[in-house]
């Protein structure tokens, strides 16, 4: 929101001139964030009120005119491209030696004619956006005087962060800001002049009736006036409005917007000729033009026609134009959240609806209306009041009363603050304070009672911010030692794992988005439209139900820059109604290294799971449970017979699109499941004191026979002597593989006898031979 | 013969010096000491010599044999101790190293600091319900934050959490008071992405609830935490800030770490950097999670981990963090 210090000055009674530049720092520290302070008009000088005496076409360029201007003491020649000059016009000219927007103006020769100054548009003077021609000033201005004697070009414009005003409905107008400033610097707030209840207020000719048919209207105040179609403008009001972001072309707009700036309330004006009754209600079936108004919109109607979506916009036929002579000025106070919803549903959040959303003080509507009338009259408009002031006040705004105990205040502050300081601060802010035995009873003014101040914490905020947060000294916190949180943080577990993956296995962590990338899905031909969907995201809206695909996309992204690398992520997925954490690891290498790469990821998976659970894992050949793994390459991972994930190579049909010679092997692990598995502690087991014997057997496996089959048979073999086995050598030969296994046998109660060893070996070989080809 | 023996000795010494492995040594050994060696031949041909000469040559032969045996033995020991390993010790090793996301690194640093101060690190789901993300934090149903413009809503009525603050609520529900928790995690806002804005970012939420916790305590703890994080004593100040779940609410600024308060482009010449929103936990928030605001009070704060990571590593484009681009990300190592 933009604030004009000139306008603030009108409301503040101060003996010394106010040092505005310094006040805004204090304002930021105690009230709301000032984002920008801009000094206006100081870079304009030497601009004189001038009168056009003669106008001639430029002899060498018909697009320009040569003006003779009277600047009081003398006449000067000025060339301009403006088309709106006329003899007798009073305008503004920056004469040579002056400055406009920081640039020096000098005498220049243009096609043989000397120009001794520059005539200025309203835009160049920063009075409005109008750049159509040079400014047409009132004839009453004295020729030759500095324009700054009439027009307040100099101002300080301050931008306050709207967000930091969210909870301060009272600060949406200059009057409210002035009230806050006065409390901070200890000056006096002036009363704002309004039209008093005199005979002028008593309209009679044509009555306006107002009916309120919904509970969402807190107050509705309106009047019908005529005689408004007059060419009266007030250039200084216009400047302030322009500096604060408003452009106004007609009188009603000028006045109502100005009062909005002053008091913060949105004000609507409606074309009044044909309206004699108004009804405010929830929309039903009234005529509403082509707006998509629904029964959730609150509307202002007349004769079964919608004339306004309450607080949001006036319908086309009822918008006041420069031809209107009769208008209804309307200031209402609606339920804030209803207006918010209404404006959002119509995609029309605007200055008015945004102000309505803030829960403004309904006490202000009548004041604002009388202020409009006062200003109209003051500007010389001969007004006819066609109606009474209609004022329907259904929900009276009460002043909140809050009890603040001394104990509570002391606890929040960490020290004792004297009641004198407390009451002084609160009274400066317009609150009434009553001291009781152990507490303050604070009565809050209506403008801060709508939602801002409701409880003791709110009052404490008022006291501390005005006291100054800088005056609070850091105080060590005495912590209770009886806090016992048993949380074994997932976050820290995840960190430990990430660290191992990066440090031990040289993998890189990536952060992918929690939603799938549409383009990637399309490219790889995978449909995820069954997934949970973000309803207000136009693209990439499906929330992932597994992590691997996202990490695969991330891996592919790097395929052009690197040849061999590994990435991982621990991230959130949404499976059905469950929010889960998963770990995905992907290694990328050339196709010829597929086997070693695959074994490497198995090794990584085993390593990480061991660190987390201390359990050994089991791999079992399986079918993929996703759409992107090559079904011949998938193994499932089990810990203690609990399925925790899969490893597989991404379909080459997917990865080849991006990169022909390499492959990517993926491990997907359910991190939640791993977390559920209790970390074991292996018991100490005394090694046998009798020597063990190791026996090597070489088994020849055909192409279709997997090591997994051999392992299964080995684990099924029943013998008390068999202690362990391991694969010690693999020799690949065209059609077959020779796998050498080392078996360790021993007895717990004595040394093995040669006979026993022979016997074991014989039985063992015959067992193996039932299933495999055993070499000598 | 004597001359020949001297010549043999000289020859042997030359040869044994150049022996590189055990095989060569075996060859030399058999060449000089074997049955078919020249020394053996000389010894067997000695019989024909007169007795005086025989004795002299015999002594010489034996001496030489002993010398050779000794030398071979020495050489053998030398070769064995030297082993047969013979490869280029200066070959390069794999210099690859992995990397962690800067967010992970910074998050851990902050968690370490907080754990030292007795905070428990907790987590919460990224896909949240309306109650924990809004209602329980005193964010009314009409609050702008709930708009489609700010929050991602899912078709089952859930939402992607807009802050880590719902972790406060979950912790209060789980542990009650007193409480001291920190919750790092990923958050989402419906925002267009550019160099300064991301729809996915990381925060850390902190909360302390106890008897008689004051604003001055908040100042002390925040100053301590931030000084630890930045590795030097930082100056902090509070400004009013509005967040529905705290009252009073503050924006906490630190004195600009770059210009030390003198004013520079980073702090927009103000000398201060806006760093973390914080405040005293709103009594309604305590009440909603069954903590009595008449007995307990507390404060909460949010630290932008994404922002912190960008500050630490001088990253000027937020998009890098979620880019998955290893050229960028592999620079961050592990610490
Ligand atoms: Zn700075």
């Amino acid at each position: 929101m933009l604030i004009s210090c000139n306008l603030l000055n009108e409301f503040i009674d101060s003996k010394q001139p106010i040092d505005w530049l310094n006040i805004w720092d204090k304002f930021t520290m105690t009230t709301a964030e000032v984002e920008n302070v801009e000094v206006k008009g100081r870079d304009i000088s030497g601009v004189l009120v001038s009168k056009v005496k003669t106008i001639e076409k430029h002899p060498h360029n018909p697009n320009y005119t040569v003006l003779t201007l009277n600047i009081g003491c003398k006449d000067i020649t000025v060339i301009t491209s403006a088309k709106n000059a006329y003899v007798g016009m009073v305008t503004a000219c920056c004469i040579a030696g002056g400055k406009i927007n920081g640039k020096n103006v000098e005498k220049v020769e243009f096609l043989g004619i000397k120009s001794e100054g520059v005539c200025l548009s309203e835009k160049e003077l920063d009075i409005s956006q109008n750049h159509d021609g040079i400014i047409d000033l009132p004839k009453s201005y004295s020729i030759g005087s500095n324009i700054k004697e009439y027009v307040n070009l100099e101002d300080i414009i301050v931008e306050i962060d709207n967000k930091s005003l969210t909870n301060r409905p009272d600060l949406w107008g200059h009057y409210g800001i002035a009230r806050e400033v006065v409390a901070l610097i200890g000056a006096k707030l002036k009363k704002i002049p309004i039209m008093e209840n005199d005979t002028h207020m008593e309209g009679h000719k044509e009555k306006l009736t107002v009916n309120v048919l919904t509970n969402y209207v807190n107050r509705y105040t309106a009047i019908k006036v005529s005689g408004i179609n007059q060419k009266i403008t007030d250039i200084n009001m216009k400047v302030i409005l322009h500096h604060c972001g408003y452009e106004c072309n007609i009188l009603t707009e000028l006045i109502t917007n100005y009062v909005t700036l002053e008091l913060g309330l949105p004000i609507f004006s409606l074309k009044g000729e044909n309206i004699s009754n108004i009804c405010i209600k929830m929309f039903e079936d009234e005529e509403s033009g082509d707006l998509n108004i629904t029964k959730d919109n609150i509307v202002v109607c007349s004769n079964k026609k919608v004339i306004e979506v309450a607080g949001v916009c006036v319908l086309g036929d009822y918008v006041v134009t420069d031809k209107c002579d009769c208008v209804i000025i309307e200031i209402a106070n609606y339920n804030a959240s209803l207006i918010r919803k209404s404006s959002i549903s119509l995609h029309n959040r605007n200055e008015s609806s945004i102000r309505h959303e803030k829960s403004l003080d309904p006490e202000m509507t009548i004041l604002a209306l009388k202020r409009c009338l006062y200003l109209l009259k003051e500007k010389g408009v001969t007004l006819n009041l066609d109606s009474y002031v209609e004022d329907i006040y259904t929900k009276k705004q009460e002043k909140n009363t809050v009890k603040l105990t001394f104990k509570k205040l002391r606890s929040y502050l960490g020290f004792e603050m004297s009641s004198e300081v407390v009451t002084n601060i609160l009274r400066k802010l317009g609150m009434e304070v009553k001291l009781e035995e152990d507490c303050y009873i604070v009565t809050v003014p209506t403008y801060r009672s709508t939602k801002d101040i409701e409880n003791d914490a709110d009052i404490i905020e008022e006291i501390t911010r005005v006291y100054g947060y800088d005056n609070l000294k850091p105080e060590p916190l005495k912590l209770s030692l009886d806090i016992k949180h048993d949380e074994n943080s997932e976050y820290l577990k995840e960190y430990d794992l990430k660290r191992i993956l990066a440090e031990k296995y040289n993998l890189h962590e990536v952060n992918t988005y929690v939603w799938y990338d549409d383009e990637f899905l399309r490219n790889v031909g995978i449909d995820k439209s069954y997934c949970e969907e973000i309803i207000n995201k136009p693209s990439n809206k499906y929330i992932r139900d597994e992590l691997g695909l996202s990490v695969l996309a991330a891996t592919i992204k790097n395929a052009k820059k690197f040849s061999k690398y590994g990435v991982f992520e621990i991230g959130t997925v949404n499976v059905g109604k469950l929010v889960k954490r998963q770990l995905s690891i992907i290694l990328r290498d050339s196709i010829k290294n597929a086997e070693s790469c695959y074994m490497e990821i198995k090794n990584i998976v085993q390593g990480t799971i061991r660190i987390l659970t201390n359990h050994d894992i089991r791999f079992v050949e399986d079918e993929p449970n996703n759409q992107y793994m090559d079904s011949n390459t998938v193994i499932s991972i089990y810990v203690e017979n609990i399925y925790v994930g899969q490893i597989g190579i991404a379909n080459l049909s997917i990865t080849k699109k991006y990169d022909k010679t390499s492959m990517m092997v993926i491990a997907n692990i359910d991190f939640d499941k791993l977390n559920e598995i209790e970390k074991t502690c292996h018991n100490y087991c005394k090694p046998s004191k009798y020597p063990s014997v190791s026996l090597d057997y070489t088994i020849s496996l055909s192409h279709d026979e997997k090591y997994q089959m051999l392992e299964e048979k080995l684990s099924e073999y029943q013998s008390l002597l068999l202690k362990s086995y391991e694969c010690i050598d693999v020799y690949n030969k065209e059609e077959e593989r020779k796998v050498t296994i080392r078996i360790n046998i021993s007895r717990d109660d004595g040394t093995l006898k040669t006979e026993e060893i022979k016997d074991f070996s014989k039985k063992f070989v015959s067992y193996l031979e039932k299933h495999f080809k055993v070499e000598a | 013969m004597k001359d020949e023996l001297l010549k043999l000795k000289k020859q042997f010494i030359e040869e044994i010096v150049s022996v590189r492995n055990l095989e060569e040594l075996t060859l030399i050994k058999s060449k000089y000491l074997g049955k078919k060696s020249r020394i053996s031949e000389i010894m067997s041909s000695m019989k024909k010599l007169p007795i005086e000469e025989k004795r002299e040559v015999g002594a010489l032969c034996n001496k030489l044999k002993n010398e050779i045996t000794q030398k071979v033995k020495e050489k053998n020991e030398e070769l064995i101790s030297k082993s047969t390993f013979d490869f280029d010790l200066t070959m390069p090793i794999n210099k690859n190293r992995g990397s962690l996301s800067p967010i992970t690194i910074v998050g851990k640093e902050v968690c370490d600091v907080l754990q030292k101060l007795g905070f428990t690190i907790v987590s919460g789901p990224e896909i949240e319900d309306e109650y924990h993300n809004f209602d329980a934090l005193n964010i009314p149903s009409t609050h702008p934050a709930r708009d489609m413009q700010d929050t991602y809503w899912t078709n089952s009525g859930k939402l992607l959490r807009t802050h880590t603050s719902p972790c406060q609520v979950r912790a209060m529900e789980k542990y009650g008071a007193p409480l001291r928790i920190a919750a790092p995690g990923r958050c989402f806002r419906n925002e267009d992405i550019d160099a300064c804005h991301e729809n996915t970012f990381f925060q850390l939420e902190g909360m302390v609830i106890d008897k008689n916790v004051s604003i001055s305590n908040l100042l002390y703890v925040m100053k301590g935490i931030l000084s630890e994080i930045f590795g030097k004593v930082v100056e902090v100040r509070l400004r009013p800030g509005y967040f529905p779940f705290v009252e009073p609410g503050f924006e906490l600024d630190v004195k600009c770490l770059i210009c030390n308060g003198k004013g520079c482009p980073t702090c927009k010449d103000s000398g201060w950097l806006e760093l973390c929103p914080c405040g005293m936990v709103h009594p309604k928030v305590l009440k909603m999670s069954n903590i009595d605001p008449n007995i307990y009070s507390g404060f909460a704060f949010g630290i932008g981990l994404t922002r912190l990571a960008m500050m630490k590593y001088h990253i000027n484009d937020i998009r890098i963090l979620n880019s998955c681009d290893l050229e960028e990300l592999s620079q961050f190592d592990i610490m």
Side-chain angles (χ1 to χ4, degrees), chain A residues 29 337 340 408 412 458 461 475 480 485 487 489 507-509 512-513 532-533 535-536 557-558 572, chain B residues 99 101 104 120 142 147-148 151 153-156 175 180 186 198 210 215 217 247 293 323-324 326:
Chain A
M29 294 306 291
S337 63
R340 176 175 180 77
K408 185 84 165 200
Y412 265 63
D458 297 322
E461 172 170 44
E475 195 67 50
S480 25
H485 305 155
E487 185 124 349
S489 173
L507 305 180
H508 300 282
E509 186 187 10
T512 60
Y513 290 103
E532 180 95 359
E533 183 183 327
I535 51 177
N536 52 336
K557 206 174 169 186
N558 290 287
T572 289
Chain B
S99 60
S101 156
T104 302
T120 302
T142 54
D147 279 0
M148 295 284 187
T151 305
W153 293 88
T154 78
N155 52 356
S156 66
Y175 301 116
R180 216 175 306 140
R186 190 193 282 236
E198 247 290 359
D210 219 320
I215 303 170
N217 294 149
E247 185 72 30
S323 69
C324 299
L326 297 188

Side-chain angles (χ1 to χ4, degrees), chain B residues 49-178:
Chain B
L49 294 176
I51 207 134
E52 277 300 300
E53 215 171 328
K54 200 198 274 173
R55 193 177 292 158
E56 195 185 346
V57 173
L60 272 174
C61 274
N62 278 332
K63 196 179 164 221
L64 180 59
K65 255 179 125 172
N66 284 340
E67 274 176 26
I68 289 175
T69 309
Q70 181 60 32
K71 278 265 178 335
V72 166
K73 199 178 157 196
E74 278 170 17
K75 189 73 189 180
N76 188 44
E77 265 161 27
E78 184 194 323
L79 285 174
I80 282 171
S81 73
K82 211 177 172 189
S83 91
T84 51
F85 298 122
D86 179 25
F87 54 81
D88 185 352
L89 301 177
T90 67
M91 284 300 282
I93 50 162
N94 186 352
K95 279 190 181 156
N96 288 344
R97 60 198 294 189
S99 60
L100 291 176
S101 156
I103 304 277
T104 302
I105 298 167
V106 171
K108 180 63 163 55
E109 282 173 4
V110 177
C111 284
D112 283 348
V113 169
L114 290 169
Q115 277 186 301
K116 262 195 272 175
L117 295 169
F119 284 75
T120 302
I121 311 298
V122 302
S123 324
E126 287 170 15
I127 303 168
E128 260 291 3
D129 53 51
E130 210 175 339
Y131 176 78
H132 286 94
N133 198 75
F134 291 130
D135 298 320
L137 290 163
N138 190 36
I139 303 173
S141 59
T142 54
H143 193 273
R146 295 201 182 198
D147 279 0
M148 295 284 187
Q149 291 96 314
D150 292 309
T151 305
Y152 285 130
W153 293 88
T154 78
N155 52 356
S156 66
K158 290 198 160 192
L159 52 89
L160 303 191
R161 69 173 174 201
T162 55
H163 43 194
T164 36
S165 311
C167 298
Q168 288 183 11
V169 181
R170 290 184 179 276
M172 284 189 287
E173 286 169 353
K174 193 168 171 187
Y175 301 116

Side-chain angles (χ1 to χ4, degrees), chain A residues 90-247:
Chain A
V90 175
T91 189
C93 176
C94 183
I95 56 165
K99 241 191 219 172
I100 190 82
N101 296 325
K103 268 187 246 156
N104 293 323
V105 171
E106 276 152 33
K107 282 185 193 171
V108 287
E109 203 179 292
F110 184 71
L111 298 174
I113 298 178
K114 256 203 186 130
S115 184
E116 297 169 274
V118 181
C119 285
L120 301 165
S121 69
E122 291 193 2
K123 189 176 176 181
E124 283 162 325
L125 286 165
D126 204 6
I127 285 174
S128 80
Q129 297 279 20
N130 188 354
H131 197 45
D132 287 346
I134 56 178
I135 188 170
D136 198 351
L137 291 169
K139 305 283 180 293
S140 56
Y141 288 10
S142 139
I143 308 302
S145 52
N146 190 319
I147 190 163
K148 287 187 180 177
E149 284 176 32
Y150 291 96
V151 187
N152 296 327
L153 296 178
E154 289 185 15
D155 199 350
I156 296 168
I157 301 296
V158 176
E159 189 175 359
I160 301 177
D161 177 24
N162 280 356
K163 237 189 242 160
S164 68
L165 295 176
T166 315
N167 63 330
R168 291 293 303 269
D170 62 315
L171 296 184
W172 283 77
H174 280 69
Y175 196 66
I177 299 272
R179 187 163 47 210
E180 181 77 12
V181 169
V182 159
L184 298 185
I185 64 172
K188 252 192 176 156
L189 188 68
K190 285 186 195 165
K191 235 181 136 188
I192 194 159
I194 55 171
M195 183 183 265
E196 296 303 337
N197 271 344
D198 56 17
T199 46
H200 291 281
M201 291 298 288
E202 300 195 355
H204 42 278
K205 285 168 200 156
E206 184 190 354
K207 234 182 150 191
L208 178 69
T209 56
V210 177
N211 281 302
V212 173
L213 299 180
T214 158
N215 287 330
Y216 292 115
V217 181
N218 301 325
R219 190 171 190 178
Y220 191 90
T221 310
I223 192 169
K224 188 166 167 180
V225 295
S226 58
I228 203 109
N229 187 13
Q230 297 181 36
K231 278 242 171 304
I232 289 174
T233 187
D234 183 298
I235 198 160
N236 283 320
M237 280 169 74
K238 212 168 144 178
V239 173
I240 285 176
L241 282 160
H242 170 68
H243 285 167
C244 294
Y246 288 80
E247 300 301 322

Side-chain angles (χ1 to χ4, degrees), chain B residues 263-281:
Chain B
C264 72
T266 305
C267 58
K268 289 180 197 145
D269 285 325
S270 70
W272 295 88
L273 292 174
E274 186 176 317
L275 201 70
C276 61
C278 52
M280 302 298 286
V281 182

